[in-house]
Amino acid sequence: MAGRETLEELVRLQGERVRGLKQQKASTEQIEEEVAKLLKLKAQLGPDEGKHKFVLKTPKDFDIAGQFDPMIPDAECLKIMCEILSSLQIGDFLVKVNDRRILDGLFAICGVPDTKFRTICSSVDKLDKMSWEEVKNEMVGEKGLAPEVADRIGDYVQQHGGVSLVEQLLQDPKLSQNKQALEGLGDLKLLFEYLTLFGVADKISFDLSLARGLDYYTGVIYEAVLLQPPAQAGEEPLGVGSVAAGGRYDGLVGMFDPKGRKVPCVGLSIGVERIFSIVEQRLEALEEKVRTTETQVLVASAQKKLLEERLKLVSELWDAGIKAELLYKKNPKLLNQLQYCEEAGIPLVAIIGEQELKDGVVKLRSVTSREEVDVRREDLVEEIKRRTSQPSCTC
């Protein structure tokens, strides 16, 4: 029991380390390395007899005879990723794909020692941020790889394209003789066929330098990057960072099964924080302010002791389908109410005072232009709808 308690404590500490690295926004390579350590520790715990038995199940149409086609869910994940990124309207993007088996086969035929596979992978994965010469210098100078081996790797990993590149590599005299690489290339060719049927093949690029998460991915891997327009005509678009990623990890879930059964798994994740930071940067550059609420109008009062009247008016607006709100203070100052609208991005203020109540009108104020107009109470709903439904509201 003491051994299990020690393992559980190690799992807890490693979990805290992973969470700390994520909060510190450490490199993807470092986080993935620590996550792999955490999963290995959890696997050593094995099943807990004192808890509910964990049973792994595979899809009903899965069978070991090979009738299950794993490229269908892979293609569907990539289509979903494209749909999400398109709907966010954050700019042009490209999804890079590769396969763990192709990389392993590539390193094998190039002469990379087995003990250096993972460390050389981490260098290759930096090609989106560093030049080939810098990556080569790291592999040779820091990691002890023979220069001629690095050159052979460079001939492959600097290539990217579509299904035509897959077909070209299937005919490569060396790579096509490696069983792992051949399996990976065959699956990628099928994947591109499905992506074409799904109508997203033009957003996908086969990139041999993509080498992320190889401690747990077992097949296809992919990563989406945003592209910024070229500075001059004819230049290649420049990547501005990864915003989504995923892949196939058939061996990962099986680590938690006492019998070690393989479970087919594929998935993707969207970098929400990264997307938010990109949107914020663009809005700052355009000097635009982000609205933090959908409220169309704030019901305000110009004098004290008008809380009940504000409640009556906001209730009328709610019943008419207007997105309205009011401050909860009994007697808020008018200036504070107007400042709240500016900070929250609320475009209109419906102001009531003693005179407005006598005249049967509401003073409707535009927050941006500060123009005010008296609107008859019975016409207020239509006037708010008219102003807030305009494509470019100048309220």
Side-chain angles (χ1 to χ4, degrees):
M1 185 65 183
R4 183 174 183 84
E5 290 178 352
T6 301
L7 273 175
E8 288 176 344
E9 178 63 14
L10 289 173
V11 167
R12 186 186 68 79
L13 293 173
Q14 186 64 18
E16 290 180 354
R17 175 167 174 75
V18 170
R19 287 189 291 274
L21 289 172
K22 289 181 177 180
Q23 291 174 354
Q24 298 164 19
K25 297 184 178 180
S27 67
T28 302
E29 178 184 343
Q30 187 178 5
I31 292 174
E32 289 177 347
E33 182 179 344
E34 296 304 322
V35 168
K37 292 179 182 178
L38 175 62
L39 293 174
K40 288 179 182 177
L41 286 171
K42 287 184 176 181
Q44 290 178 41
L45 283 173
D48 190 342
E49 298 298 335
K51 296 182 180 180
H52 180 71
K53 190 174 181 181
F54 180 54
V55 180
L56 295 176
K57 295 184 178 181
T58 59
K60 292 181 179 179
D61 57 350
F62 176 78
D63 66 272
I64 59 175
Q67 294 181 9
F68 175 75
D69 188 341
M71 290 301 101
I72 296 175
D74 288 57
E76 188 173 1
C77 278
L78 286 166
K79 178 175 172 59
I80 291 170
M81 180 184 287
C82 290
E83 289 176 346
I84 292 172
L85 296 178
S86 295
S87 67
L88 290 173
Q89 298 181 345
I90 52 178
D92 290 336
F93 63 89
L94 181 70
V95 182
K96 300 185 291 184
V97 301
N98 200 0
D99 194 291
R100 158 73 181 273
R101 295 163 295 177
I102 297 174
L103 283 166
D104 284 349
L106 185 156
F107 289 151
I109 67 166
C110 288
V112 178
D114 292 349
T115 55
K116 292 185 182 291
F117 269 33
R118 297 285 78 82
T119 186
I120 297 303
C121 268
S122 68
S123 295
V124 169
D125 200 38
K126 297 176 182 177
L127 272 173
D128 60 339
K129 304 179 184 70
M130 298 165 54
S131 68
W132 165 245
E133 287 303 319
E134 290 173 312
V135 171
K136 178 183 174 181
N137 290 337
E138 179 180 295
M139 291 193 296
V140 175
E142 298 180 20
K143 300 183 177 179
L145 193 68
E148 61 274 15
V149 174
D151 287 334
R152 288 196 286 269
I153 293 173
D155 292 339
Y156 286 104
V157 298
Q158 295 182 78
Q159 299 185 62
H160 54 85
V163 68
S164 59
L165 177 58
V166 178
E167 293 171 343
Q168 175 188 322
L169 293 176
L170 281 169
Q171 303 301 318
D172 184 281
K174 293 183 178 179
L175 198 60
S176 61
Q177 297 304 308
N178 182 277
K179 182 181 178 181
Q180 281 186 300
L182 196 61
E183 289 177 355
L185 288 168
D187 278 352
L188 271 191
K189 183 178 180 181
L190 186 59
L191 177 66
F192 269 99
E193 290 180 13
Y194 295 154
L195 293 172
T196 300
L197 294 173
F198 285 159
V200 295
D202 61 325
K203 289 291 187 182
I204 314 295
S205 173
F206 174 29
D207 192 325
L208 282 157
S209 70
L210 181 62
R212 64 182 313 278
L214 298 186
D215 285 327
Y216 48 88
Y217 286 131
T218 57
V220 174
I221 51 179
Y222 37 87
E223 178 181 76
V225 294
L226 289 186
L227 303 174
Q228 63 185 22
Q232 296 179 358
E235 292 184 356
E236 286 290 325
L238 300 174
V240 293
S242 170
V243 292
R248 177 160 288 278
Y249 45 98
D250 288 351
L252 189 60
V253 176
M255 293 172 61
F256 302 96
D257 180 45
K259 296 182 180 180
R261 290 169 292 190
K262 286 188 177 181
V263 179
C265 298
V266 64
L268 63 93
S269 62
I270 304 294
V272 176
E273 290 184 1
R274 174 64 175 163
I275 289 173
F276 279 173
S277 66
I278 291 170
V279 171
E280 288 172 357
Q281 289 173 8
R282 291 184 176 180
L283 290 173
E284 286 177 6
L286 295 172
E287 297 183 350
E288 292 184 6
K289 189 174 181 179
V290 180
R291 283 197 63 186
T292 58
T293 178
E294 291 186 344
T295 301
Q296 297 167 292
V297 59
L298 178 82
V299 174
S301 56
Q303 289 98 25
K304 294 181 179 180
K305 299 181 180 180
L306 292 176
L307 175 59
E308 290 185 4
E309 296 299 333
R310 284 192 289 139
L311 291 172
K312 288 179 185 178
L313 181 55
V314 80
S315 180
E316 290 176 20
L317 296 176
W318 287 340
D319 291 342
I322 299 293
K323 297 175 181 177
E325 64 175 285
L326 75 164
L327 297 188
Y328 296 145
K329 287 186 177 181
K330 286 186 177 180
N331 299 302
K333 293 180 180 180
L334 180 59
L335 180 60
N336 292 342
Q337 296 171 89
L338 297 178
Q339 287 178 339
Y340 173 76
C341 288
E342 291 183 356
E343 292 170 0
I346 300 172
L348 295 171
V349 188
I351 304 171
I352 50 176
E354 294 176 359
Q355 189 61 47
E356 284 78 16
L357 291 171
K358 289 179 182 179
D359 297 341
V361 299
V362 174
K363 194 176 295 294
L364 194 60
R365 177 187 174 99
S366 165
V367 175
T368 54
S369 69
R370 301 185 180 180
E371 294 179 356
E372 296 179 347
V373 60
D374 287 342
V375 180
R376 292 183 61 81
R377 184 102 171 208
E378 58 267 29
D379 299 331
L380 182 61
V381 169
E382 290 304 316
E383 181 64 16
I384 292 173
K385 288 183 177 180
R386 183 187 69 79
R387 292 190 179 212
T388 56
S389 65
Q390 293 174 357
S392 299
C393 185
T394 56
C395 303

